[in-house]
């Protein structure tokens, strides 16, 4: 009897030997799928906020109206500016220092002479007002934005809403050259078919004509939520996002917060805060066997020598960041009181962040890429709104926390993403590193030229890349 039972129990144990691993594999697969699907829908909590003065009113709904807004100036404002420019004191420049010590004081005197005697703020206000400006109150503060619709839409073509967000020390004005290329591509020989945009450019709260938060803690996540509310208020259910500098982090947070509302995210700067052993190994091996760690030849050219390009140059360019991330109000009060100090502080960034080699030029290379009218218009947006201090505080609100502990640190970006890597950008992020956060990169372009202020410096290149990206997303 026992002998008869043996084959059956052997058969049974054989079945088990097959079934148990299959079941385990099936269960394991389901577990992995469940964990991945859970990870996929992990988002930043939208939450809510109040940034107005004092306590949030208990009663009454916020005024959600969208009000037309116009930039205005006055003789009094211009006279006050001229008086301050005339009374400026200058430090004698160091011979042969070019821009190595910061803004060259001899060239600064030339810029100020132009500002005092030739720059026409009234004319620039007309330029600024050529697009429709609006304000609306969100979470207790007035949010300023421009909204530009295409003047002509060919039959059967869908208009894509695109929110473009600036950074520091820029403004909504950075986008004035790229807007016509995006809203009227055919008129600028960019008509490769199918893509036309209506563009919304808000001012980050505390910058330009957007009211500054009255409460502590206003970071990129709060900004992301406010900009989603803005798009919603304008009647958009789905939209594209574009950003560099702070705009990159804000739009990334928007994609992490409401991925269902974001059709695509296009960035010209990628922030990656996560460092680890894998990254260290990647850096160490990248110069010798780049293919082993997923780096391209172009990545190697842009990243090495690593210490020089990613530590030394970055330290040299980020002294302002340490001040603004710790005690912004102290330095800020001097800049808010002196237009000359403000211009030197802001325009120095438009020199070396546009091209690192401009450090060696007496005029910082400023006029090789921009006109003084353009540069001073951006400075004037900070001056007439007294917004330099509140714009600097944005660093303290965002950088004073441990980057690994912020709400967005552990959330991936799953919306279609396009990255335009400009060669003169402050840091280069290879595609293989970007993939750690951006899980759905549709386009990654090594741009042929250009630096940090891409829309302002190379509007056509950036417009072409945005269109190329959106065209691909629309075909998905």
């Amino acid at each position: 009897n026992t002998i008869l039972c043996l084959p059956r129990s052997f058969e049974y144990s054989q079945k088990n030997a097959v079934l148990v691993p299959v079941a385990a594999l099936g269960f394991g697969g389901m577990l992995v799928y469940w964990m991945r699907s859970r990870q996929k829908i992990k988002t930043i909590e939208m939450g809510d906020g109040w940034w107005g003065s004092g306590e949030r009113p208990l009663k009454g709904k916020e005024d959600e109206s969208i009000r037309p807004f116009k930039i205005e100036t006055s003789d009094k404002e211009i006279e006050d500016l001229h008086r301050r420019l005339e009374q400026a004191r200058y430090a004698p420049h160091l011979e042969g220092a070019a821009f190595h010590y910061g803004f060259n004081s001899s060239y600064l005197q030339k810029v100020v002479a132009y500002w005092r005697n030739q720059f026409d703020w009234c004319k620039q206000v007309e330029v600024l007002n050529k697009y429709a400006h609006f304000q609306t109150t969100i979470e207790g503060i007035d949010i300023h934005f421009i909204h530009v619709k295409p003047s002509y839409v060919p039959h059967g073509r869908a208009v894509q809403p695109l929110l473009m967000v600036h950074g520091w020390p820029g403004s909504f004005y950075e986008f004035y050259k790229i807007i016509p290329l995006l809203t009227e591509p055919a008129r600028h020989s960019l008509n490769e078919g199918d893509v036309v945009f209506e563009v919304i450019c808000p001012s980050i709260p505390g910058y330009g004509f957007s009211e500054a938060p009255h409460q502590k803690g206003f970071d990129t996540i709060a900004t992301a939520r406010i900009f989603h509310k803005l798009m919603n208020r304008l009647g958009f259910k789905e939209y594209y996002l574009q950003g560099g500098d702070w705009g990159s982090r804000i739009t990334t947070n928007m994609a992490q917060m409401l991925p269902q509302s974001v059709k695509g995210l296009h960035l010209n700067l990628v922030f990656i805060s996560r460092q680890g052993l894998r990254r260290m190994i990647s850096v160490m091996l990248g110069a010798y066997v780049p293919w082993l760690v997923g780096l391209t030849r172009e990545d190697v050219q842009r990243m090495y020598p690593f210490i020089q390009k990613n530590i030394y140059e970055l330290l040299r360019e980020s002294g302002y960041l340490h001040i603004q991330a710790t005690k912004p109000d102290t330095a800020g009060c001097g800049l808010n009181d002196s237009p000359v100090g403000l211009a030197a502080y802001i325009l120095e960034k438009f020199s070396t962040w546009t091209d690192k080699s401009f450090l060696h030029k007496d005029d910082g290379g400023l006029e090789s890429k921009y006109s003084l009218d353009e540069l001073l218009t951006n400075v004037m947006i900070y001056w007439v709104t007294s917004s330099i201090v509140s714009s600097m505080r944005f660093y303290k609100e965002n950088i004073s926390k441990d980057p690994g502990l912020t709400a967005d640190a552990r959330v991936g970006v799953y919306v279609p993403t396009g990255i335009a890597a400009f060669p003169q950008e402050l840091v280069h992020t290879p595609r293989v590193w970007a993939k750690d956060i951006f899980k759905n990169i549709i386009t990654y372009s090594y741009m042929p030229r250009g630096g940090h202020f891409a829309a302002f410096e190379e509007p056509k290149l950036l417009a072409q890349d945005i269109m190329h990206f959106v065209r691909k997303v629309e075909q998905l």
Side-chain angles (χ1 to χ4, degrees), residues 16 18 44 137 203 256 358 363 368 445 463 471:
N16 257 10
V18 175
I44 299 175
T137 310
S203 295
Q256 292 166 313
F358 286 175
D363 63 356
S368 61
S445 315
R471 196 171 292 117

Side-chain angles (χ1 to χ4, degrees), residues 97-108 110-111 317 344 346-370 372 375 453 457:
F99 262 57
H100 285 272
Y101 286 69
F103 207 106
N104 182 301
S105 60
S106 292
Y107 178 59
L108 182 60
K110 290 179 186 168
V111 172
E317 290 302 330
I346 287 177
L347 296 186
E348 182 236 298
K349 304 302 173 212
F350 278 87
S351 164
T352 46
W353 292 5
T354 296
D355 191 319
K356 296 173 191 81
S357 71
F358 286 175
L359 204 63
H360 310 300
K361 299 189 170 192
D362 289 341
D363 63 356
L366 278 167
E367 292 174 76
S368 61
K369 295 288 182 134
Y370 316 104
L372 283 181
L375 292 166
F453 303 98
E457 183 200 344

